[in-house]
Amino acid sequence: MVVQVKEEKKIILTKPLLLEGESNSDTSYTAPNLLQRILSLFKNVRPGSDLTRFQLPPLFNFPKSQLQCYGESVYCTGLDMLSMCNKGHSPQERFISVVAWCISTTRPATFGVAPFNPILGETHHVSKGNLNVLLEQVSHHPPVTALHATDEKENIEMIWSQQPVPKFNGTSVEAKVHGKRKLKLLNHGETYEMNCPHLSFKILPIPGVNWVGNVNIRCQETGLVAELSYRSSHSFLGLGGNHKVIKGKIFDSSSLKVLYEVDGHWDSIVKLKDTNNATMKVIYDAKEVISGLKAPIVKDAESVWPTESAYVWGETSQEIMNKNWEKAREAKQVVEEEQRELLRERESKGESWNPKHFTISYSKEEGWDCSPIHKWVLDAPIIAQ
């Protein structure tokens, strides 16, 4: 969707990355000899290098910001899985629904292209039904994103802080995502804390991108815990096998008794086995939740903030969609130079920058903590379909 506003700049919104095999013209930006080009990007990068400050040329970007990718994992769904979390009659039923919802936030990634690195103070504000979602880039170096989402009707609140830390390992890049995710079911007095898997980009021997690592979900009030592992099934030198396997268990932390076993693939079906009677049921179907998703739409262009991701990167995104790489490079440089100039102004005045929507703190023990300033997120001028 393209909307022309504010000094002729554009608001560009594209549909989310879709499941493998689905048509997705918005992200078909791979070029011939892509592997060769990627290898050339890293020819001067040593294994173990921190890639936080590494800048990609537009040829390797798809037309959206990392903030939008985070937000889409919350508001772009075919089913209202958050409401299902709230409707469970018992702590176990609600916990299982939270596990399924957590899996639903795992979205497809594309090898060879990446979202824009958000600028400091960039925001993304979208509504889906009664759910209002707000993200803000609260730090640029290191890159830290805060998310606050609320549903007043369901009395649900979500608070995330995310810090991706990419490292080059010679034949691969692994982006570890540090931070906390909290989901609060306020009607039940329950808070669920969880982390998210890491993203692994393999360059050799077979190029590909996969979610890997362990995810822990814990509810302090009920003592229920889930341990999930994102992994690949058996393959030889990267050939064959399935790279989207998820396995795990749900147990009672007080007795350590395993209540359920989790098994499946996050891009298709995930099943739950009751260890008491061996019954199986499907708790997540990716085709129902993240298949056929559409781009958000602008309801009120004049109310879109100048810090909105779709506005900040509008010109760059438009030129990427047009495959006009030189104009895309120029538009991206304009955004980045504006940020450098703002930084120079703050430094000359001895001023520090503070987030508008969150208070932040950092400690070596706890990492980044992002607390929303307001209790509820307001309705957004951008609507998820």
Side-chain angles (χ1 to χ4, degrees), residues 234-264:
H234 179 74
S235 63
F236 177 71
L237 295 178
L239 298 171
N242 189 299
H243 302 287
K244 300 177 177 65
V245 175
I246 185 168
K247 292 182 178 290
K249 60 185 178 181
I250 297 174
F251 61 93
D252 185 330
S253 60
S254 60
S255 65
L256 299 183
K257 179 184 178 182
V258 176
L259 305 173
Y260 302 96
E261 294 175 350
V262 180
D263 188 23

Side-chain angles (χ1 to χ4, degrees), residues 187-229:
N187 287 342
H188 302 284
E190 294 171 354
T191 296
Y192 300 81
E193 296 189 10
M194 63 203 78
N195 62 314
C196 68
H198 309 317
L199 200 55
S200 175
F201 297 85
K202 284 192 175 181
I203 302 171
L204 295 172
I206 304 296
V209 56
N210 302 299
W211 290 102
V212 299
N214 298 320
V215 171
N216 295 313
I217 307 168
R218 178 181 296 271
C219 180
Q220 196 70 41
E221 292 80 9
T222 64
L224 294 172
V225 176
E227 294 179 350
L228 306 177
S229 176

